[in-house]
Amino acid sequence: MLRRQILNGMAGVGAGLALAALPGVVAPALAQETVKVGLILPMTGASASTGRQIEAAARLYMAQNGNKVAGKTIELIVKDDTGAADQTKRLATELVVNDKVAVIAGFGLTPLALAVGPVATQAKIPAVIMAAGTSMIVEKSPYYVRTSFTLPQNTTPMAEWSAKNGIKKVVTLVADYGPGLDAEKAFKAKFEADGGKVLDQLRSPLMNPEFAAFLQKAKDLKPDALFLFVPSGQGASLMKQVNERELTKAGVKIIATGDVTDDDQLNGMGDAVIGMTTSHNYSAAHDSPENKAFVAAFLKANNNMRPNFMAVGGYDGMALIYKALEKTKGDTDGTKLVDAMKGMAWVSPRGPISIDPQTRDIVQNVYIREVKKVDGQLWNVEFATIPNVKDNTHEAAK
Ligand code: VNL
């Protein structure tokens, strides 16, 4: 009876307005219109720059694309796990149980990403990996989908380039955990298949690393090149010590994944890094209209902070969530969302990307770059492109 009266009373009036104007009347359909996305990031601690970059990028994506998708309102909930895996897991559980999020996303490092797998599997909701790069993570839950990169994906082209460009003997030095071990293995496999020799494989501790002894050891082995991987945030201190040991002067070329010449820190590394060759999935100097627009908007919204590869992982992660919701026409069932994400393809600021439907891992271009000074600033200037690179270490990809 009341409902009939309300409906009649609504004739000629915007439905939403009429309902909103009546105190005490709750429309169940409207109550469910909000889709919550839980973003779990290290906003404090050693990996805080990763959290800062990803949060800024996710907010930029929403500012540019609005908060409405397929009739639903997207609400972003950001939580700081301080870089501690037990916190990541606790926050993921709370977001699922208390906040009823439709998607969890973010995760600053491999151990943090791994901590949410069981939660996503049990809740049957997507866990979008925006930062971590150890290959096997996506194999640990059918609800993982990755928009960052993997170390085998980014490293193999560096090994290939090295073998083709007169480098015969290499020492590798990597951070001693998942992504570092992936980089070490991928470099050796490709470089030796192409006729090179890895003289030694050195590993620095992940926490509070002290690189001097490893760098001295590498220098003493007199390789043609030293290959480096450390996670985002450690590149500046590593390169400072590389420069202090004068490896380049001793004839050792410095090569690395782009994690080392991270756009978040590159400008502060000084002219000693000019000429360094790296391979990576993203450079803020990437020459495309999409990237120029992204970098300009990001700088403007963030007090001139330059976006790095973490930012682009967060931006594309939000894009993937929006696109999946559009495809399901607003259906938030987690299994349907993951299915919608499989095979999704679009043009990112980094270039064309897609989600491999078999592995739920990202397929993207990898670029070979050289550090150059342009207009008084240091940039990773891309000079070669290896298109549509898949992580070739997944069982499902073989
Ligand atoms: C990881 C890989 C983290 C590459 C990174 O920065 C990175 C990871 C925080 O998988 O833990 O540059």
Side-chain angles (χ1 to χ4, degrees):
M1 188 55 204
L2 177 63
R3 193 175 140 75
R4 163 95 26 96
Q5 281 171 8
I6 291 167
L7 287 175
N8 288 342
M10 269 173 12
V13 186
L17 257 181
L19 284 176
L22 290 167
V25 176
V26 178
L30 284 185
Q32 289 166 16
E33 295 269 335
T34 299
V35 177
K36 294 180 185 171
V37 175
L39 197 56
I40 311 173
L41 294 167
M43 300 307 300
T44 53
S47 299
S49 68
T50 293
R52 191 173 65 227
Q53 288 270 353
I54 292 179
E55 181 185 5
R59 295 205 185 282
L60 177 63
Y61 187 86
M62 293 185 70
Q64 291 176 332
N65 294 277
N67 66 347
K68 296 272 190 295
V69 184
K72 307 277 166 116
T73 302
I74 311 294
E75 182 188 331
L76 194 65
I77 306 176
V78 180
K79 298 280 183 189
D80 177 14
D81 66 8
T82 73
D86 57 334
Q87 297 302 310
T88 322
K89 181 159 193 182
R90 179 182 63 77
L91 290 168
T93 307
E94 282 178 15
L95 285 164
V96 167
V97 174
N98 301 342
D99 297 295
K100 313 250 177 319
V101 295
V103 178
I104 50 174
F107 332 123
L109 291 161
T110 288
L112 313 181
L114 283 173
V116 304
V119 180
T121 303
Q122 208 196 354
K124 299 192 190 320
I125 62 165
V128 179
I129 303 165
M130 296 172 162
T134 304
S135 185
M136 57 67 177
I137 304 172
V138 288
E139 295 166 18
K140 302 292 179 192
S141 166
Y143 289 87
Y144 277 128
V145 183
R146 176 151 40 200
T147 58
S148 47
F149 52 85
T150 82
L151 269 300
Q153 180 179 52
N154 276 338
T155 303
T156 306
M158 193 68 243
E160 185 174 6
W161 184 89
S162 302
K164 273 197 192 130
N165 285 274
I167 295 170
K168 300 209 157 46
K169 294 175 293 176
V170 168
V171 172
T172 60
L173 170 57
V174 302
D176 190 5
Y177 79 120
L181 304 187
D182 271 5
E184 176 189 277
K185 193 172 165 196
F187 191 92
K188 184 179 167 88
K190 182 61 181 164
F191 188 58
E192 297 202 334
D194 287 359
K197 178 81 193 134
V198 172
L199 301 178
D200 206 349
Q201 299 177 299
L202 308 174
R203 299 173 182 176
S204 51
L206 174 62
M207 305 307 256
N208 309 311
E210 179 45 63
F211 302 110
F214 300 110
L215 294 172
Q216 189 58 49
K217 179 146 195 228
K219 191 176 175 185
D220 292 344
L221 288 163
K222 299 193 190 317
D224 299 321
L226 171 62
F227 169 82
L228 302 170
F229 164 80
V230 288
S232 181
Q234 293 190 1
S237 69
L238 171 60
M239 289 315 298
K240 184 166 178 284
Q241 293 184 42
V242 167
N243 298 331
E244 282 165 7
R245 297 266 140 190
E246 302 195 314
L247 275 99
T248 314
K249 262 193 200 149
V252 181
K253 187 171 168 53
I254 306 300
I255 56 177
T257 63
D259 307 79
V260 176
T261 56
D262 184 348
D263 273 301
D264 192 70
Q265 297 186 322
L266 179 62
N267 234 343
M269 289 186 194
D271 289 359
V273 296
I274 291 175
M276 189 170 157
T277 309
T278 58
S279 59
H280 217 224
N281 59 301
Y282 181 67
S283 164
H286 178 65
D287 191 6
S288 74
E290 292 82 8
N291 189 50
K292 289 206 163 87
F294 170 69
V295 172
F298 192 95
L299 289 167
K300 190 167 174 216
N302 296 287
N303 203 10
N304 270 335
M305 172 167 77
R306 190 194 286 186
N308 71 356
F309 58 100
M310 295 303 186
V312 94
Y315 191 77
D316 291 335
M318 283 309 291
L320 180 63
I321 294 164
Y322 272 48
K323 287 171 193 299
L325 266 169
E326 265 161 28
K327 199 164 163 188
T328 65
K329 301 194 165 57
D331 190 335
T332 55
D333 177 83
T335 307
K336 287 183 188 158
L337 284 176
V338 169
D339 282 342
M341 290 175 180
K342 293 177 185 172
M344 196 72 84
W346 71 102
V347 179
S348 149
R350 64 183 111 171
I353 62 174
S354 66
I355 302 299
D356 184 319
Q358 262 78 50
T359 61
R360 289 161 278 101
D361 218 335
I362 186 161
V363 182
Q364 59 191 332
N365 295 349
V366 176
Y367 306 90
I368 312 290
R369 313 98 51 86
E370 183 180 329
V371 178
K372 287 192 172 166
K373 197 171 228 175
V374 183
D375 296 334
Q377 291 199 33
L378 298 177
W379 298 94
N380 293 297
V381 177
E382 297 168 349
F383 62 87
T385 304
I386 301 91
N388 302 322
V389 181
K390 276 191 188 187
D391 181 309
N392 62 1
T393 68
H394 291 304
E395 272 313 312
K398 284 179 183 159

